[in-house]
Amino acid sequence: MTSSWLKRAQIAGISTKETRGVLDTNPSNIPLLEFIRDELKPHYKIGFLSNASDDWLEELFSPDQQSLFDDFVLSFQHGIAKPDTAIFELAAERLGTKPVDCVFVDDVTAYCEGARSVGMQTIQFQNFEQFKKELQGVL
């Protein structure tokens, strides 16, 4: 196992085998990525914000999937992590917009609260259909 797997395991408090298993059994949300490609990307900037301990984007997304995003903010690169308000402000700045003009989507309540505290609208992701419905109300 590489040191990036060890770092991920240490952050999660699980073994490297369990860490790899989680990612192997948790494939990309294809309907969500297709929705981004077909419905959102033509009209909006799309950013990806992660509390990553290493650059694992190539393991998570294919090159075509990565191209759906206008920018990636990975916490290990900036020394700040969600829910620190500075990382949400940085993500908006890198997209060339203000936080108030952003919609932040995450499945973690505390991260949504952090984004909301800088003025972002938020959606707590539970499933794809719930997300789409809430997003339609926001946009």
Side-chain angles (χ1 to χ4, degrees):
M1 294 271 165
T2 65
S3 64
S4 65
W5 285 107
L6 180 59
K7 288 178 192 175
R8 286 183 215 138
Q10 289 171 337
I11 288 170
I14 59 177
S15 72
T16 53
K17 183 178 179 179
E18 289 173 292
T19 302
R20 182 66 193 203
V22 167
L23 290 179
D24 286 346
T25 60
N26 191 12
S28 297
N29 187 325
I30 300 303
L32 176 59
L33 293 170
E34 289 172 349
F35 178 73
I36 290 170
R37 181 193 65 218
D38 299 340
E39 303 294 329
L40 300 179
K41 183 70 174 164
H43 307 287
Y44 304 100
K45 291 181 180 180
I46 308 294
F48 184 86
L49 171 57
S50 175
N51 279 355
S53 62
D54 200 354
D55 189 353
W56 45 261
L57 292 175
E58 291 176 8
E59 296 174 38
L60 188 60
F61 298 118
S62 71
D64 284 343
Q65 291 169 338
Q66 287 183 46
S67 72
L68 297 174
F69 301 94
D70 295 292
D71 190 49
F72 293 90
V73 174
L74 306 176
S75 59
F76 83 96
Q77 293 173 329
H78 304 284
I80 48 178
K82 300 179 285 185
D84 187 323
T85 57
I87 202 159
F88 301 107
E89 292 168 338
L90 174 65
E93 178 183 314
R94 288 174 54 117
L95 287 172
T97 190
K98 297 176 185 171
V100 71
D101 296 325
C102 295
V103 179
F104 176 77
V105 180
D106 203 297
D107 61 344
V108 178
T109 302
Y111 300 164
C112 289
E113 290 170 356
R116 199 172 13 257
S117 73
V118 299
M120 291 182 175
Q121 297 182 68
T122 64
I123 297 173
Q124 187 167 353
F125 189 93
Q126 297 166 14
N127 61 62
F128 178 61
E129 291 305 318
Q130 163 266 336
F131 159 74
K132 269 183 32 177
K133 183 177 179 181
E134 286 191 42
L135 186 63
Q136 289 171 351
V138 171
L139 299 178

